[in-house]
Amino acid sequence: MATARRERYRKQTREEAKAVALAQLSESGTAGISVNAIAKAMGMTGPALYRYFASRDELLTELITDTYRDLAETLARAVADAAPADRFRALARALRDWAKRQPDRYLLIYGTPVPGYHAPPETTEIAAGLMRTIFDACATVGEAGEAGGGGVDGGRQQPLTELEAELARHLEGTGPWGPGEEPGGEVKGRALRTWTRLHGVISLDVQGQFTGMGFDPSVLFEAEIDALVRGG
């Protein structure tokens, strides 16, 4: 019984420390995360909190893995709830919505790397799982084009350009990038272009880079989704 109480208290303390760290992240970015400052905010001493997290990097790893898992679960739910022809659009919109709701967590995993921090294998494994979700959604992109209608060739995917075909050949056999069977080079290329283009818009948006330009970034984002569906 005493052991169970200690474990509950340990878990509660770690969760509280992570909540305080996220508040610091929001105020000062990753450079502002300090175990001693977190301990002070919790009414503890620094050495006392080090019994729960051996270092700042261990605390950062917890924040990063929690964030990756939350995003992975969000995208998986969005795809699971959508009809096959809608999965690509559902994934893209869920990604942006998640980032807009919690920009600090988005930038923690997709922003400027933390100086001196080296991510352990478990974080890269979770990130690889995210890529598998993207592969699966990209594999339905032809159906998404048919369902979306309009556009070039009635909304169907356009044939690969010479450079896109070259990219597909280049990506053949580069490894699975995630759990499960390795997809072909064309799907890899589509997933890679999807990931980079969507993140480009989202990153600029969450950092306020569109401020003062007089347009709605969500309209730009939807245009990017449509272009990707059509193969543009």
Side-chain angles (χ1 to χ4, degrees):
M1 184 68 73
T3 300
R5 281 200 299 269
R6 284 197 297 271
E7 283 302 314
R8 284 198 302 271
Y9 180 74
R10 178 178 178 79
K11 183 178 180 180
Q12 290 168 358
T13 302
R14 285 172 64 88
E15 291 301 317
E16 182 181 354
K18 288 192 287 184
V20 174
L22 285 174
Q24 289 186 349
L25 180 68
S26 177
E27 294 171 4
S28 311
T30 52
I33 295 178
S34 160
V35 173
N36 286 330
I38 292 168
K40 183 177 180 180
M42 295 172 63
M44 301 173 66
T45 64
L49 187 55
Y50 275 112
R51 292 203 295 267
Y52 298 90
F53 292 99
S55 65
R56 184 206 66 157
D57 282 4
E58 183 180 321
L59 176 55
L60 273 173
T61 295
E62 286 276 335
L63 295 178
I64 290 168
T65 53
D66 284 354
T67 299
Y68 269 127
R69 287 193 184 102
D70 185 40
L71 176 57
E73 290 168 5
T74 298
L75 298 186
R77 281 195 304 271
V79 170
D81 292 342
D86 297 328
R87 286 174 185 164
F88 182 81
R89 296 177 191 274
L91 178 139
R93 289 165 182 157
L95 174 61
R96 180 176 185 269
D97 289 346
W98 182 90
K100 293 288 286 182
R101 284 196 309 272
Q102 37 195 350
D104 300 308
R105 294 182 81 193
Y106 173 83
L107 292 172
L108 175 64
I109 57 176
Y110 293 119
T112 304
V114 181
Y117 175 77
H118 301 286
E122 57 262 36
T123 61
T124 54
E125 289 169 8
I126 299 170
L130 275 173
M131 187 56 73
R132 169 53 59 182
T133 303
I134 296 164
F135 283 149
D136 292 343
C138 284
T140 68
V141 79
E143 299 169 59
E146 292 171 17
V152 178
D153 193 23
R156 296 175 182 273
Q157 277 269 298
Q158 300 178 59
L160 296 182
T161 66
E162 184 178 338
L163 287 176
E164 288 168 345
E166 182 180 340
L167 174 63
R169 290 191 296 271
H170 175 70
L171 295 175
E172 285 285 354
T174 54
W177 295 0
E181 184 179 350
E182 180 177 1
E186 184 175 342
V187 172
K188 279 185 178 180
R190 191 182 299 152
L192 191 59
R193 284 180 281 126
T194 294
W195 206 227
T196 53
R197 286 174 66 171
L198 296 186
H199 275 300
V201 178
I202 292 169
S203 295
L204 290 169
D205 192 6
V206 299
Q207 293 181 83
Q209 298 298 325
F210 296 135
T211 301
M213 296 181 70
F215 74 95
D216 182 352
S218 66
V219 178
L220 171 62
F221 191 74
E222 288 295 324
E224 280 293 275
I225 294 175
D226 192 59
L228 286 163
V229 165
R230 291 184 294 107

